[in-house]
Amino acid sequence: MENLYFSLKQIASWTSGISEVTIPAIQRGLVWKPNQVELLWDSILRGFPIGAFLLSDVVERNNHGKYYLMDGQQRYNAISIGFNTVPDARAVLWIDIDPPIIKNSTRIFWIKATTIPHPWGYKNDDESSRLNTSEKRAALQTFNLDGNIYNNTFSLKSTWPVESNCPIPLWCFIQATYETENAESFFQKACQLFQTSDFAFREKVNITDAAKAYVINTLFPAFKALKDYRINCNHLPQSVMETETNNDTSEQTTLEVLFTRLNTGGTQISRDDLNYSAIKAYWPSIRDVNDKLAEKYMNPSQLVMLAFRLALTSDSDKGLRNDLSIKQIRSYANKKEERKKIEALYKPVSYTHLRAHETVLD
């Protein structure tokens, strides 16, 4: 496999429609926990390696890009949210420039997340524990927001991590890194970006002399190093994927072995996720429609497997078709009749019909 290297800024630009790397709309049903995102950025700012991504060749050349992200989307999401390149992101990353002193924490940089489910942020511990009910209600008073902590959805522009002393959006410092050359201008640019943003906390921020010294002496060197930070991406050629799935002599295909070994660290990949990764590699034409439908109804890997089983069930079968293996998925991709049945479920007319009945299904 060929090794490729990308800067953080290049990875964050993968959200662009002209990127050479195609990102699946949803790679897994679950996203990283807040502490994983916060600690990932602490690792990046400390210069720690965060593991390689896995890219495969794009199968259908009518898609943009040369490569397809097969593994590493959660890290990609965390990087992109930090760079503020994700449209309608459900999270904001902040950095506390007056960081707390927590004896039992492994952190140096206090990256803090606010999310749609938890717009008040999380506790100052390595687990990013949730605030209790009274703390959440107190946060709403601090934000000067009316509503119920259980039923309302609050704009992330109106909230901030309440346990932070002086939080500034992470992207302000990242952008300042690429636009300035010295520590003083870095500090001034980040403050300017924040003050011209539409985050409510900009009207409350009070940057002390100690906080400014922390930005200049500690944050500037760390953020300056971001420009030279590179992440290794392993490249899985299309020829390898095609060859190994045609080998029926082994119990596991090479792709299955690969994902099983990737499963030894990070977020665990379920059997459905593993199969869905193969489907997206061999059936890219149905990926986007499936992911769009899944946003409304269920995990995308579960939905696509249900669709495959339904399409391949015949009248003579006693029940719904059994789960498929990666070998079977690859085999059906090359069988005209089976492929036609599966793709029929994902035609635009089927999608429109389903959307028309959303209120009934809800």
Side-chain angles (χ1 to χ4, degrees):
M1 290 190 293
E2 175 188 2
N3 284 346
L4 306 168
Y5 294 88
F6 292 90
S7 69
L8 293 171
K9 189 174 183 179
Q10 287 174 317
I11 291 171
S13 72
W14 290 351
T15 55
S16 167
I18 59 174
S19 167
E20 64 178 343
V21 177
T22 300
I23 305 298
I26 302 173
Q27 188 180 49
R28 298 180 187 163
L30 298 177
V31 297
W32 268 14
K33 296 177 181 178
N35 72 312
Q36 292 177 292
V37 176
E38 294 177 359
L39 293 178
L40 179 83
W41 269 102
D42 177 68
S43 294
I44 290 173
L45 289 171
R46 294 165 73 172
F48 294 171
I50 61 169
F53 291 2
L54 178 63
L55 304 179
S56 67
D57 289 335
V58 170
V59 177
E60 292 187 354
R61 290 302 173 185
N62 57 327
N63 288 347
H64 73 78
K66 295 168 54 180
Y67 308 108
Y68 186 78
L69 180 62
M70 292 191 71
D71 187 73
Q73 188 172 351
Q74 303 307 334
R75 283 167 290 162
Y76 154 77
N77 287 341
I79 291 169
S80 299
I81 291 172
F83 272 77
N84 194 34
T85 58
V86 180
D88 302 318
R90 293 176 56 83
V92 174
L93 295 183
W94 305 71
I95 185 166
D96 192 347
I97 63 172
D98 184 11
I101 299 175
I102 308 294
K103 292 183 178 179
N104 296 326
S105 175
T106 64
R107 304 188 193 206
I108 290 182
F109 300 98
W110 281 89
I111 307 299
K112 302 287 291 179
T114 53
T115 64
I116 292 296
H118 298 275
W120 31 74
Y122 302 82
K123 288 186 175 295
N124 287 338
D125 54 39
D126 280 6
E127 291 73 33
S128 300
S129 304
R130 297 179 181 180
L131 276 61
N132 62 37
T133 300
S134 62
E135 290 169 332
K136 293 175 184 178
R137 288 173 176 157
L140 289 189
Q141 293 181 349
T142 302
F143 301 149
N144 195 28
L145 294 175
D146 296 325
N148 188 299
I149 63 172
Y150 300 107
N151 300 324
N152 287 89
T153 299
F154 303 100
S155 168
L156 294 181
K157 300 289 187 178
S158 303
T159 70
W160 56 88
V162 293
E163 290 214 345
S164 295
N165 297 317
C166 190
I168 307 291
L170 181 62
W171 65 265
C172 294
F173 289 103
I174 293 175
Q175 186 171 331
T177 299
Y178 292 93
E179 297 183 10
T180 60
E181 295 297 332
N182 59 68
E184 179 66 31
S185 60
F186 168 76
F187 169 74
Q188 295 296 338
K189 183 62 178 181
C191 291
Q192 177 193 3
L193 290 168
F194 186 34
Q195 288 300 327
T196 55
S197 72
D198 54 354
F199 286 91
F201 188 70
R202 75 187 190 283
E203 299 176 355
K204 299 178 178 290
V205 67
N206 178 28
I207 301 178
T208 64
D209 290 341
K212 179 179 178 179
Y214 174 75
V215 172
I216 290 176
N217 298 324
T218 303
L219 292 190
F220 176 67
F223 277 85
K224 185 178 180 181
L226 288 185
K227 291 190 285 188
D228 296 322
Y229 192 100
R230 297 292 185 271
I231 295 179
N232 177 44
C233 294
N234 295 320
H235 173 222
L236 184 64
Q238 181 181 350
S239 59
V240 173
M241 296 192 307
E242 291 177 344
T243 301
E244 55 87 8
T245 50
N246 290 326
N247 180 9
D248 294 328
T249 60
S250 60
E251 292 185 2
Q252 283 189 311
T253 67
T254 302
L255 195 58
E256 287 176 292
V257 173
L258 171 63
F259 274 91
T260 299
R261 293 180 181 179
L262 288 172
N263 228 12
T264 58
T267 305
Q268 295 295 291
I269 304 173
S270 70
R271 168 56 59 175
D272 281 346
D273 290 325
L274 174 59
N275 288 344
Y276 192 28
S277 294
I279 289 170
K280 289 184 290 186
Y282 305 134
W283 304 69
S285 59
I286 69 174
R287 180 188 63 239
D288 292 340
V289 176
N290 184 81
D291 288 345
K292 185 65 177 178
L293 288 170
E295 290 179 7
K296 183 69 178 178
Y297 300 106
M298 65 177 69
N299 181 301
S301 60
Q302 294 175 334
L303 177 62
V304 77
M305 292 310 300
L306 181 61
F308 267 58
R309 293 171 63 194
L310 178 63
L312 297 172
T313 299
S314 65
D315 294 338
S316 60
D317 291 330
K318 295 182 180 180
L320 198 62
R321 177 65 186 269
N322 292 332
D323 287 337
L324 306 178
S325 67
I326 289 181
K327 288 182 181 179
Q328 290 173 315
I329 290 168
R330 171 61 180 172
S331 173
Y332 288 130
N334 293 324
K335 294 181 178 179
K336 184 176 180 180
E337 290 301 318
E338 284 78 1
R339 187 180 185 103
K340 183 177 179 181
K341 291 178 182 178
I342 292 167
E343 291 182 344
L345 290 180
Y346 288 95
K347 287 183 178 179
V349 63
S350 300
Y351 175 61
T352 302
H353 177 75
L354 187 55
R355 295 289 290 183
H357 291 279
E358 278 183 354
T359 53
V360 177
L361 292 174
D362 288 346

